[in-house]
Amino acid sequence: MSIKWYDNDTDTFFEEGHRVTWFGDENETEGELKMIGEKTFAVQWEDGSYIEYPNDHQEAIKKI
């Protein structure tokens, strides 16, 4: 079962596999949402880094 979240500000659902960017990133770093868990989510960034974030950082991710 895939967990997803909803962003009220952009009226957007986020699911695993969606392309995302870090909101406010001047370099517009892009990545793929690899995992959404109950307490964390993870992004595989275009530079090859795989980073897990706590769910309270979801507002920093925007779908592209």
Side-chain angles (χ1 to χ4, degrees), residues 7-18:
D7 181 352
N8 288 320
D9 292 336
T10 61
D11 192 31
T12 305
F13 277 101
F14 287 83
E15 296 183 78
E16 293 171 4
H18 284 170

Side-chain angles (χ1 to χ4, degrees), residues 40 50 53:
T40 61
Y50 178 89
Y53 301 93

